[in-house]
Amino acid sequence: MSRLLAAALTVVAAAALAVGAALGITALLDATPDQPNTPLITYEQAGQGS
């Protein structure tokens, strides 16, 4: 009886760990990185003098 209980608790713990890992990975993939809004290339306008 105790072996059956240990096996059941192991299955429940493994399932909880798998769900937690899946939620953590999903949260990491949904996180948006901080990207500065600075252009890499700038073009001078025709009316601007340099």
Side-chain angles (χ1 to χ4, degrees), residues 36-43:
N37 193 15
T38 55
L40 296 177
I41 300 173
T42 56
Y43 297 100

Side-chain angles (χ1 to χ4, degrees), residues 2-3 8-9 11 13 21 24 26-27 30 32 35 37 39 48-49:
S2 65
R3 293 181 75 181
L9 288 176
V11 168
T26 304
D30 283 342
T32 56
Q35 296 178 352
N37 193 15
Q48 293 178 342

Side-chain angles (χ1 to χ4, degrees), residues 3-33:
R3 293 181 75 181
L4 182 61
L5 181 62
L9 288 176
T10 303
V11 168
V12 169
L17 185 62
V19 169
L23 290 176
I25 291 171
T26 304
L28 284 175
L29 290 176
D30 283 342
T32 56

